[in-house]
Amino acid sequence: MTQVDFTVTDIFDIPGRGGLLVAGRLRSGEIATGDVLYDSASGASIHVIGVEFRGGRNPDEFTLVVDRRDTAHISIGQRIVTSTDPADHTEESR
């Protein structure tokens, strides 16, 4: 399985929405509703409750819907990954 490597480019907190919208670029892997991903630096868990949008100018751009309880764990420029084990994020493992 290819490890997820997603870089956050924008964050949108729209009142009335079920979750925080997190836009970014998917460098590797696949993300689906129900996945639990991790901040590559801190290891904090991030719960994906939906994949809201695919598209934009680049085919690797996605917007994820993330559980609002994880808001403190999301920041622009952050890498979100499948595992916090550095061995999982080498070129050989991709």
Side-chain angles (χ1 to χ4, degrees):
M1 177 173 91
T2 303
Q3 298 295 321
V4 167
D5 188 346
F6 181 86
T7 302
V8 177
T9 57
D10 283 299
I11 302 166
F12 305 96
D13 189 2
I14 300 172
R17 292 299 306 261
L20 187 70
L21 301 179
V22 179
R25 298 187 107 171
L26 183 62
R27 302 291 182 196
S28 66
E30 295 181 12
I31 302 173
T33 299
D35 284 354
V36 177
L37 304 174
Y38 301 91
D39 178 313
S40 66
S42 71
S45 61
I46 298 165
H47 299 82
V48 178
I49 59 174
V51 178
E52 181 72 15
F53 176 77
R54 292 183 179 202
R57 291 180 290 235
N58 298 307
D60 61 347
E61 292 178 347
F62 292 81
T63 299
L64 308 177
V65 183
V66 172
D67 191 311
R68 287 189 184 279
R69 292 175 289 187
D70 299 327
T71 298
H73 306 298
I74 303 290
S75 61
I76 293 174
Q78 167 186 33
R79 282 182 60 224
I80 299 173
V81 297
T82 310
S83 166
T84 57
D85 183 348
D88 291 336
H89 303 288
T90 62
E91 289 301 317
E92 293 80 31
S93 68
R94 290 184 186 168

